[in-house]
Amino acid sequence: MRIKNKVLMGSVFCIAAACFWGLSGATGQYLFRNTGMTPEWLVATRMLISGIFLLTVYQVKHGGIFEIWLHKQDRIDILLFSLVGLLFTQYGYFASINYCNPATATILQYLAPVMIVVYLSIRYRRMPTKIEAIAVAGALIGTFLLATHGNIHSLSISPLALFWGLLSGVALAFYTVYPVRLLTRYNTMLLIGWAMLLGSIAMNFVHPVWECQGNWDVPSYLCLAFTIIFGTMLAYLIYLDGIRYIGPTKSSLYAATEPLASTIVSVIWLKTKLELVDYIGFIFIVGTVLMLSLVPAKKEQKKESPQN
């Protein structure tokens, strides 16, 4: 595949995955409100169904679903990726939604690229660049506005919503950075299938899938199907493929579609009421992520231009 085609495909994959995640947050809140479903049951169920389906399809198409368990380092990596990255990305996100709304939970999770900057600065013992420092400051201001509405003496959202939202951001940062080595060795479907299955097994100790709750109707089943098929299986598959094609930095730029989609759907469909200060906080956080994503892209273009 040509480089231009890879970049285009990776960009489309990341945008589509971000939209699916944003929409699945809204369908998740609909389920919490209208069926009495818990985030624990939703995460356990969607990961179990997705994991079994993806591994079955991979086995039929390629065979050898257990090859990832042959080497010790791969076993360690897949366990960390699934239990630290994927599981807490999903559970933290839906738990935060349960305590506030999809738009706010998505924005809190969207702090992941800024967290990656902080992590890389600490790991490589270097000071952040001016742009990175501005981005981190902007993200902190945005989070402060979302959490307090400018009043340092009180929180405008539930402390649990803030905790789980930030934790989902940490997990997403780990999810984005950690599997680079695994992606060079294994098919994305195999990797996500095992991560989903392992995460669901762990979550079943918290809330078994057979202990189903709530009042169900046709819209509820449709929302659950969308959350599993598009918001889980397809979204995670194409996002990792997007990272494979364009890298974690550029993928952050296109992931800006997620908070936009989540906010629009939350306000129009779920009638979520957001104040002006919430939108200002959103702008600070999304703007800082876009800033981080655009700077490396410009540097790469300068490096590649003499060869064109």
Side-chain angles (χ1 to χ4, degrees):
M1 185 183 295
R2 295 179 179 179
I3 294 177
K4 289 184 177 180
N5 291 337
K6 284 187 175 182
V7 172
L8 176 61
M9 184 173 293
S11 302
V12 170
F13 281 173
C14 288
I15 292 172
C19 287
F20 290 151
W21 278 326
L23 293 173
S24 70
T27 57
Q29 185 171 51
Y30 177 89
L31 292 170
F32 300 150
R33 285 181 178 178
N34 294 276
T35 69
M37 179 189 300
T38 66
E40 293 81 5
W41 186 87
L42 177 59
V43 171
T45 301
R46 75 199 293 247
M47 293 183 76
L48 178 64
I49 295 175
S50 300
I52 292 175
F53 176 80
L54 293 173
L55 289 176
T56 301
V57 172
Y58 184 87
Q59 179 64 27
V60 171
K61 292 180 64 176
H62 307 287
I65 62 171
F66 296 104
E67 62 178 329
I68 200 169
W69 297 101
L70 297 179
H71 303 285
K72 180 181 179 180
Q73 187 58 51
D74 292 342
R75 293 195 294 269
I76 295 173
D77 287 348
I78 188 61
L79 285 171
L80 288 174
F81 173 65
S82 60
L83 301 181
V84 178
L86 186 60
L87 177 57
F88 279 102
T89 296
Q90 291 210 28
Y91 179 70
Y93 177 57
F94 281 105
S96 183
I97 288 174
N98 191 42
Y99 290 111
C100 59
N101 60 75
T104 302
T106 301
I107 288 295
L108 291 174
Q109 188 183 68
Y110 201 61
L111 289 165
V114 179
M115 296 176 182
I116 291 175
V117 167
V118 175
Y119 162 74
L120 292 177
S121 297
I122 295 174
R123 178 178 179 182
Y124 294 108
R125 298 178 181 178
R126 65 172 179 82
M127 292 296 294
T129 64
K130 290 183 179 180
I131 295 297
E132 290 173 341
I134 293 172
V136 172
L140 291 174
I141 293 172
T143 305
F144 171 76
L145 292 176
L146 283 178
T148 68
H149 282 181
N151 184 354
I152 61 175
H153 300 295
S154 65
L155 288 176
S156 61
I157 63 174
S158 163
L160 286 174
L162 181 61
F163 171 77
W164 287 114
L166 292 176
L167 184 61
S168 71
V170 173
L172 180 58
F174 181 86
Y175 173 90
T176 302
V177 173
Y178 190 76
V180 173
R181 192 189 72 85
L182 286 174
L183 285 169
T184 63
R185 291 174 56 82
Y186 299 105
N187 182 282
T188 307
M189 183 180 294
L190 178 66
L191 180 60
I192 291 295
W194 274 114
M196 291 286 181
L197 185 59
L198 292 169
S200 71
I201 292 172
M203 187 54 69
N204 265 272
F205 285 101
V206 179
H207 193 141
V209 295
W210 55 84
E211 293 182 1
C212 185
Q213 298 174 327
N215 302 312
W216 291 82
D217 53 18
V218 173
S220 300
Y221 284 112
L222 291 176
C223 284
L224 180 61
F226 180 89
T227 304
I228 293 173
I229 297 171
F230 292 95
T232 308
M233 288 187 288
L234 189 57
Y236 281 92
L237 275 174
I238 62 178
Y239 182 69
L240 278 186
D241 271 335
I243 294 175
R244 187 200 302 272
Y245 291 142
I246 63 176
T249 302
K250 287 183 178 179
S251 67
S252 299
L253 171 63
Y254 301 109
T257 312
E258 181 181 356
L260 178 62
S262 181
T263 301
I264 291 174
V265 174
S266 297
V267 172
I268 295 177
W269 179 37
L270 300 175
K271 309 301 180 184
T272 300
K273 294 182 179 180
L274 299 174
E275 298 182 17
L276 177 60
V277 69
D278 293 314
Y279 290 106
I280 295 174
F282 290 0
I283 291 171
F284 265 101
I285 294 174
V286 174
T288 57
V289 174
L290 292 177
M291 186 188 304
L292 289 174
S293 302
L294 287 170
V295 171
K298 291 180 180 178
K299 289 181 179 179
E300 289 172 5
Q301 289 174 0
K302 289 180 181 179
K303 290 180 181 179
E304 293 172 358
S305 58
Q307 301 175 1
N308 293 335

